Amino acid sequence: MNSVTIIAKSVRFSFIAAAATSVALSGFAMADDAEGNNADKVERIQVTGSRIQRADMETSSPVTVIDASSIIASGATSIDGVLQNMTASGGAMTNAGINNGSQGNASVNLRGLGSSRTLVLVNGRRMIASGTGAASTVDLNTIPVSMIQRVEVLKDGASAVYGTDAIAGVVNIILKRDYDGFEMNVQTGISAEGDGDESSLDFTLGNTFEKGNIVINAQYTKRGEASQADRGYSDCPIAEQLVDGELALYCAGSDYVQGGRIWGDNGADIVGTGGEYHEFSDADRFNYSSDSFLSTPMERLNLSMAGTYQVSDNVTFFTEAMYSKRWSEQEMAPQPIWSSDAWFYEPISAGGWMTDELLPWIEDGEEVFYGRRMVESGNREFAQVVDTIRIVIGLEGELENGWMWDLSYNKGKNDSVDTTANLHNLGSLSDAVLNEEFDPFLQSSWVGDSIAPYIYTEVNSGGSELDIIAATLSGEVYELPAGEVGFAAGYEYRKEAAHYTPDSLTAQGLANDPRVEPTAGEFHVNEIYAELAVPLLSDMRFADQVDLSAAIRYFDYSTFGSDSTWKLGLTWRLTDELMVRGVKSTAFRAPTVDELYGGASPSFEQIVHAATTQDQAEVTVGGNTLLTPEEADIMTVGLVYSPNYVEGLSFTFDYYKTEITNTISSVDNNYIANQCLDASGNKINTGTSLCQSSNIEIDTTGRISFDNGLQNIGAMNTAGYDLNIAYVFEGLGLDWKAGLDTSILDEYEEFDNDGNSIDYKGYITGGVGAYAEVKTNFNLTAIGADWSVTYEARYIGGMDSLACSDAPSECYAPSVDSIIYHDLSATYDATETVRLSAGINNVLDEEPPYFTGNNDSNTDPYTYDVLGRYFFVRASVKF
């Protein structure tokens, strides 16, 4: 078999295989061309997961390819909307629907293993960690979606090739580099409720000249808000209670109420709701949902450029530059405040200085605790301004023997300022009470000039910085009977730094929340790696082509020392129709600057516990300088089948198993509360390291507080199956593309340092997202001469609530049913230069499900669509 035929068969098979895992099912036209007269012109390419350039896309690891047309069909103006809908994604992924704690970020989470375990690359190189504070993950808002050529998602560990973070997989976002012409796109969309509007304007200009090319792009995006008050399922926080022996739902709310709440030492529990004090009842609870965003507003500007210049016949200069500026907002109900120490009631009628209004319930001199919802001051308004810049410069070339080399410098910098308005200086307020200058029980004290001196806006700043010097060399070492041996090697020096400076009042612990400590630190690492691709057999019966791949990486960190990772893979093409593949590898994730040096800070997290009626616990989180790297053993085994008897049809089926030890994590908050406190609020399991390290307490107001900082606390195991079917065919005078992408979760367990396990398989949680056993995406596209129509369906299997795992009968909604989202989109080429597009997402207006122990909006916005039916239109001009 001559080399041209080998290349032709390889390209045909590999492009069909790639299409089977491609959302867009693209690449068939290229495959057909490769089998024709131009087969000998096929260039070698580099596929995500390997640094060796090869003549086909076949690798031992599964790679999903998402092209620009799929992004357009989804109506997404940011790539997170596409990546989060992949069946291989799961767990907690920040998005526009996360109002509490997202700080405007957007992330991807492969296998549900955590965003920090998914490596994000741009053009095969690391992207700067971005967002607010000492950021440790990539904010996908920084990627200009209009500049994306395609996205390659490697669903396998790749630390031996790329280094730290690539445990769950790699998302490689490939931007346009060789582009000629001008393109402008205008898009706008809005929900069926008339909110959550989003508009985008972008243009791309490219030119290729004698010695190089240049591409510039600008994109502006503005997203409007939606309120939880404007949806029936989220307009109040739902709670459960027994009514005539049966569990029922009611519109509940916070214990910290308008008008103040007072807990007396003698058992009194009174509130000033409505301006007059009375005994507390559920009717007094504060509805904080009505003041919270359902979808958060944002403005974003992305500027990018890419260029090359041929310095000589064999040397090319290249550069990439990206700048992103984001303005984002979140809004929550007025701040709840409480007295950290007891106050003593001293009424005027008894010779004191406080109002007499409490006398029917509180005695003179009685010790009281006080809490209040600061409605008079207004909602808490969170805002972020984030600037991110990334510049890559380098040289690449070809040696006389055909080997390729490149030398590059990658510089990234992220700066942020985040503010929170309408907070209160409780330290000064408490001093004023003790100095008899502020009567907290007099309602008029909390309005106007009396409270104004204690209201402030919190201002925090932070940033991160990335420097990488890298050199690579790749080529063919020698020829074996089965083909050329490919080789790649390289060196990388990487330095990462980050910092976070909290507001001065917050840092001193003078605000209502506990003090927040600053973060500052850096580390550097030297790494060398090598990779081989060895063709073992070819042109034999049941061994059409057999290739072995191997990679190894050695790294030396300034924070913890040196180690290495490795990878072995095998592709065995039995015939031109059937290939089996497998990979065994080790991977690691080094602790980030924030994880190592992050200052302790409070976080208010959703919990469900019998000892309290409050649905939030005060959780202290923070870094740990003693952290060491996570380590992982990863295996994938699969097959690719493209039968000759059905042209255009292909299947891939892969099994994966990932075992992580020494995990850097915090334990599920509900799990800590229920393991360490009994139903009466008494401490239990005090001999375990989990409960000892938590320092759990419950105060007189019923608020549970505990520590849940980062630790190397145990292990994580996950395993499952990925099935992909792709079919490209002709019928009814049209071209058709169909695809089915299914992920089946077989195992997902986390272990704490006591060896206790939490089984997340088939569960939905209140803090770390959902782990459905089955997720499926189906798409079908019909293509005419100047139009196309695409139908997509996204299935998420039913799940049980983790909060109800021990006693489902005590929960009103211990599970959620499966859900299917239906999307429609269409394009029409009005002229040779103008294309019109439109679409409807969530056509049937599916409402997110309620479950006991939910996260926010009475559901899980990490997992479900919260806006409902959504319309978008788009116009493109290209010439």
Side-chain angles (χ1 to χ4, degrees):
M1 182 182 295
N2 61 45
S3 60
V4 172
T5 306
I6 293 175
I7 292 175
K9 290 185 66 177
S10 297
V11 170
R12 174 187 178 274
F13 187 90
S14 60
F15 268 112
I16 292 177
T21 56
S22 170
V23 175
L25 307 177
S26 61
F28 289 91
M30 290 183 283
D32 292 340
D33 182 66
E35 289 191 272
N37 296 329
N38 294 326
D40 57 344
K41 298 181 182 179
V42 172
E43 296 183 358
R44 294 185 178 274
I45 58 177
Q46 184 172 298
V47 181
T48 301
S50 173
R51 296 188 185 272
I52 297 175
Q53 296 188 355
R54 59 191 73 213
D56 56 57
M57 291 185 67
E58 296 173 40
T59 66
S60 51
S61 300
V63 177
T64 293
V65 180
I66 306 171
D67 68 8
S69 65
S70 298
I71 300 171
I72 294 172
S74 71
T77 57
S78 179
I79 191 60
D80 62 288
V82 176
L83 295 175
Q84 291 181 359
N85 286 341
M86 293 176 55
T87 61
S89 298
M93 295 177 284
T94 52
N95 57 66
I98 308 300
N99 182 57
N100 186 359
S102 73
Q103 296 187 311
N105 295 326
S107 63
V108 60
N109 185 350
L110 293 178
R111 306 297 190 201
L113 289 172
S115 299
S116 60
R117 298 185 182 98
T118 299
L119 177 62
V120 176
L121 307 175
V122 175
N123 296 332
R125 298 180 179 87
R126 285 181 179 268
M127 181 63 187
I128 172 73
S130 45
T132 53
S136 57
T137 58
V138 173
D139 177 15
L140 295 175
N141 288 305
T142 59
I143 310 297
V145 69
S146 58
M147 191 68 168
I148 294 175
Q149 179 174 316
R150 69 181 183 276
V151 180
E152 295 178 358
V153 181
L154 173 70
K155 297 178 288 186
D156 189 16
S159 284
V161 178
Y162 297 113
T164 183
D165 302 340
I167 289 181
V170 178
V171 175
N172 187 9
I173 301 169
I174 299 169
L175 305 182
K176 298 171 183 176
R177 180 169 171 175
D178 299 323
Y179 181 83
D180 277 304
F182 174 82
E183 179 177 354
M184 183 174 70
N185 302 288
V186 180
Q187 179 172 315
T188 188
I190 195 167
S191 78
E193 300 295 327
D195 54 14
D197 56 296
E198 186 168 7
S199 298
S200 177
L201 170 66
D202 67 78
F203 74 83
T204 305
L205 178 64
N207 181 51
T208 299
F209 47 92
E210 183 180 356
K211 288 195 171 184
N213 62 76
I214 186 170
V215 183
I216 59 174
N217 172 273
Q219 179 175 347
Y220 171 76
T221 304
K222 183 175 183 179
R223 183 176 68 215
E225 67 187 61
S227 172
Q228 292 183 18
D230 294 330
R231 300 294 189 279
Y233 70 84
S234 62
D235 59 2
C236 74
I238 296 175
E240 302 172 6
Q241 63 181 358
L242 284 172
V243 178
D244 297 329
E246 298 288 336
L247 279 171
L249 302 180
Y250 71 100
C251 181
S254 171
D255 285 348
Y256 294 88
V257 302
Q258 183 175 2
R261 185 172 180 183
I262 301 164
W263 293 269
D265 194 43
N266 294 324
D269 183 358
I270 63 171
V271 294
T273 309
E276 293 185 2
Y277 284 102
H278 55 274
E279 292 184 359
F280 171 80
S281 70
D282 284 338
D284 294 304
R285 293 184 182 276
F286 184 81
N287 180 1
Y288 53 83
S289 292
S290 61
D291 297 315
S292 298
F293 285 147
L294 183 69
S295 181
T296 57
M298 179 188 67
E299 289 185 74
R300 187 180 72 234
L301 175 66
N302 295 96
L303 303 175
S304 56
M305 181 274 289
T308 62
Y309 182 79
Q310 188 174 344
V311 179
S312 66
D313 289 343
N314 295 315
V315 179
T316 300
F317 169 81
F318 64 88
T319 184
E320 305 167 11
M322 299 169 58
Y323 170 73
S324 167
K325 191 175 188 74
R326 166 165 64 86
W327 302 265
S328 50
E329 298 176 14
Q330 303 84 48
E331 185 172 87
M332 296 180 66
Q335 184 185 19
I337 69 168
W338 59 92
S339 57
S340 56
D341 297 313
W343 291 335
F344 292 91
Y345 182 48
E346 300 178 44
I348 294 174
S349 61
W353 60 282
M354 294 176 169
T355 178
D356 289 338
E357 294 181 64
L358 308 188
L359 281 175
W361 301 274
I362 307 295
E363 297 178 359
D364 174 30
E366 186 175 345
E367 186 178 69
V368 298
F369 286 87
Y370 188 83
R372 186 183 186 93
R373 182 68 62 168
M374 297 301 298
V375 175
E376 296 83 357
S377 301
N379 290 343
R380 283 168 290 171
E381 298 173 350
F382 304 84
Q384 303 85 35
V385 179
V386 184
D387 293 271
T388 305
I389 188 168
R390 176 182 186 264
I391 299 174
V392 177
I393 58 173
L395 296 172
E396 59 187 10
E398 183 175 356
L399 303 176
E400 291 183 1
N401 62 359
W403 282 45
M404 308 298 293
W405 62 270
D406 71 73
L407 177 66
S408 65
Y409 172 57
N410 181 352
K411 174 68 175 181
K413 196 171 189 305
N414 165 249
D415 289 295
S416 66
V417 175
D418 65 278
T419 61
T420 306
N422 296 328
L423 296 183
H424 300 80
N425 185 344
L426 189 62
S428 296
L429 222 166
S430 294
D431 289 342
V433 174
L434 295 176
N435 294 331
E436 301 183 3
E437 299 169 352
F438 186 95
D439 182 359
F441 310 121
L442 185 65
Q443 296 296 341
S444 60
S445 297
W446 298 97
V447 297
D449 293 339
S450 177
I451 190 63
Y454 307 103
I455 302 174
Y456 74 101
T457 295
E458 180 182 89
V459 180
N460 311 301
S461 63
S464 56
E465 201 161 351
L466 173 71
D467 294 270
I468 301 176
I469 299 173
T472 64
L473 179 68
S474 65
E476 296 173 344
V477 182
Y478 50 86
E479 185 173 4
L480 295 176
E484 296 282 352
V485 175
F487 172 80
Y491 164 79
E492 287 186 5
Y493 168 82
R494 187 173 80 255
K495 178 182 177 182
E496 296 188 33
H499 71 276
Y500 172 69
T501 304
D503 184 270
S504 60
L505 287 176
T506 306
Q508 296 175 70
L510 298 177
N512 189 56
D513 296 337
R515 67 186 299 265
V516 175
E517 299 174 350
T519 296
E522 65 178 42
F523 66 81
H524 64 267
V525 56
N526 288 282
E527 301 178 278
I528 57 174
Y529 60 88
E531 184 181 358
L532 279 174
V534 183
L536 301 178
L537 301 171
S538 67
D539 299 333
M540 299 178 64
R541 187 177 183 185
F542 301 121
D544 195 43
Q545 185 71 39
V546 180
D547 294 321
L548 174 71
S549 61
I552 189 169
R553 175 177 289 257
Y554 169 84
F555 48 86
D556 186 7
Y557 276 78
S558 61
T559 44
F560 59 82
S562 60
D563 207 338
S564 61
T565 59
W566 55 266
K567 178 177 182 178
L568 284 175
L570 186 72
T571 59
W572 189 306
R573 190 184 312 144
L574 287 83
T575 68
D576 63 352
E577 296 180 295
L578 179 63
M579 180 184 79
V580 295
R581 60 189 180 191
V583 177
K584 178 70 175 175
S585 67
T586 61
F588 77 103
R589 188 179 77 83
T592 66
V593 172
D594 187 49
E595 290 172 332
L596 288 167
Y597 307 112
S601 61
S603 178
F604 293 91
E605 303 291 344
Q606 298 289 120
I607 65 164
V608 176
H609 196 283
T612 180
T613 58
Q614 297 196 32
D615 57 5
Q616 286 188 329
E618 181 186 311
V619 183
T620 300
V621 299
N624 182 352
T625 57
L626 300 179
L627 292 174
T628 57
E630 300 177 340
E631 299 175 353
D633 290 306
I634 303 166
M635 178 186 69
T636 62
V637 180
L639 59 87
V640 181
Y641 180 53
S642 54
N644 289 331
Y645 55 84
V646 183
E647 184 178 357
L649 179 64
S650 62
F651 304 84
T652 68
F653 182 76
D654 293 281
Y655 169 79
Y656 69 89
K657 184 175 182 64
T658 302
E659 298 176 331
I660 309 174
T661 56
N662 213 36
T663 52
I664 301 170
S665 185
S666 55
V667 183
D668 180 82
N669 293 307
N670 272 293
Y671 182 72
I672 292 178
N674 286 284
Q675 282 290 309
C676 303
L677 284 182
D678 65 16
S680 299
N682 301 310
K683 295 181 181 181
I684 56 175
N685 298 323
T686 54
T688 65
S689 56
L690 173 72
C691 296
Q692 287 177 349
S693 64
S694 72
N695 296 315
I696 196 163
E697 299 285 350
I698 183 168
D699 64 21
T700 56
T701 71
R703 183 180 292 280
I704 297 174
S705 63
F706 53 87
D707 297 335
N708 195 10
L710 294 174
Q711 304 174 59
N712 292 109
I713 60 172
M716 299 172 67
N717 295 335
T718 186
Y721 305 88
D722 292 329
L723 170 65
N724 300 275
I725 304 173
Y727 187 30
V728 176
F729 59 99
E730 296 180 357
L732 303 176
L734 302 172
D735 294 326
W736 298 82
K737 297 189 296 185
L740 184 71
D741 186 6
T742 298
S743 292
I744 301 171
L745 184 61
D746 184 58
E747 176 187 2
Y748 195 110
E749 282 188 301
E750 288 190 15
F751 299 85
D752 65 20
N753 46 359
D754 294 307
N756 300 309
S757 67
I758 306 175
D759 185 0
Y760 286 102
K761 173 189 172 183
Y763 282 104
I764 188 167
T765 76
V768 292
Y771 298 84
E773 292 188 49
V774 179
K775 297 174 69 177
T776 296
N777 290 348
F778 170 77
N779 60 76
L780 177 66
T781 300
I783 305 171
D786 55 7
W787 59 271
S788 68
V789 175
T790 298
Y791 164 73
E792 296 185 355
R794 181 164 61 100
Y795 170 85
I796 303 172
M799 291 169 280
D800 295 325
S801 172
L802 185 66
C804 304
S805 58
D806 292 335
S809 62
E810 297 178 8
C811 298
Y812 179 88
S815 63
V816 295
D817 292 332
S818 60
I819 193 169
I820 303 178
Y821 294 107
H822 304 269
D823 304 329
L824 284 173
S825 62
T827 67
Y828 172 65
D829 294 330
T831 69
E832 291 184 357
T833 60
V834 177
R835 169 170 288 186
L836 304 177
S837 308
I840 307 174
N841 292 335
N842 193 356
V843 174
L844 300 183
D845 200 23
E846 294 286 350
E847 190 173 281
Y850 166 80
F851 63 96
T852 305
N854 58 80
N855 177 18
D856 195 11
S857 306
N858 298 316
T859 186
D860 178 17
Y862 289 125
T863 304
Y864 298 109
D865 170 27
V866 296
L867 279 181
R869 187 181 295 116
Y870 195 87
F871 305 90
F872 67 90
V873 293
R874 176 186 177 96
S876 303
V877 178
K878 184 177 182 179
F879 53 85

